[in-house]
Amino acid sequence: MIISFYYQAYGLRIKSQKKLPYFISSVNDFTDVEIYWDNILLDASGFEKEKFEKAEGGIQWILPEIAVYTVLAGKMIRVQSLSEDEDLVNSRIYGHVMAMILIQRGTFPFHSASVITPSRKIWVIFGNHGTGKTHLVLQLKEMGFPIFSDDIL
């Protein structure tokens, strides 16, 4: 029997075969996106550099030594691991892979981080990779501002 885990993230209801601890758990079994993992660890030697390839109904993102992610029709993610480090493999799902899902669903994601203010407004911090968005959001969290998103909005 396959166990499923249910989450909410990016305004979507997500069903996954594995735990994704950085998504918000949900009890709703209706899903917008399903994530499947192949149980076989692929041989990484055939993948020498990062690349994107067209897949039937979507796109495939090959990250050598990490995983091959196939994103289909804004509804399904297939993960073929090239690494035994599940945290490393999962880390790409939270940002870039979910951004691909959003694009396929007609939503334009922003590279940003955001917090919720005491008056229930959202402050969004935009910036290039490595400019300190996450650092600032974590400092704001320490001051009592809940994190709304990190990396993609």
Side-chain angles (χ1 to χ4, degrees):
M1 181 171 141
I2 297 175
I3 297 174
S4 296
F5 301 92
Y6 296 91
Y7 302 98
Q8 290 183 338
Y10 302 100
L12 301 171
R13 293 162 293 207
I14 300 166
K15 176 182 175 182
S16 173
Q17 291 176 324
K18 292 189 179 184
K19 287 185 180 181
L20 295 167
Y22 295 106
F23 283 160
I24 298 169
S25 292
S26 173
V27 294
N28 189 344
D29 60 357
F30 176 80
T31 59
D32 300 302
V33 177
E34 295 189 16
I35 305 174
Y36 298 97
W37 273 261
D38 286 350
N39 291 327
I40 300 168
L41 187 67
L42 292 179
D43 177 11
S45 63
F47 304 103
E48 297 173 8
K49 62 181 182 175
E50 177 181 0
K51 66 180 176 178
F52 291 91
E53 292 182 345
K54 186 176 180 181
E56 188 173 328
I59 191 165
Q60 191 170 63
W61 182 28
I62 300 167
L63 280 174
E65 301 181 20
I66 299 176
V68 176
Y69 304 93
T70 305
V71 182
L72 302 169
K75 296 179 181 180
M76 186 176 91
I77 300 167
R78 181 175 172 214
V79 182
Q80 297 168 284
S81 184
L82 301 173
S83 170
E84 293 183 20
D85 183 345
E86 283 192 16
D87 289 336
L88 179 63
V89 173
N90 292 351
S91 70
R92 300 318 191 270
I93 293 171
Y94 299 122
H96 292 87
V97 174
M98 287 306 297
M100 287 188 262
I101 284 284
L102 291 171
I103 290 167
Q104 288 179 353
R105 296 176 74 86
T107 301
F108 186 78
F110 289 98
H111 192 187
S112 63
S114 54
V115 295
I116 303 170
T117 68
S119 61
R120 307 296 296 162
K121 293 183 180 176
I122 296 175
W123 287 350
V124 180
I125 299 110
F126 295 98
N128 290 329
H129 177 75
T131 57
K133 296 176 302 300
T134 298
H135 182 75
L136 177 57
V137 163
L138 290 174
Q139 286 182 332
L140 289 167
K141 179 184 176 193
E142 291 296 316
M143 297 170 59
F145 293 75
I147 294 175
F148 182 74
S149 72
D150 183 33
D151 198 42
I152 302 287
L153 177 66

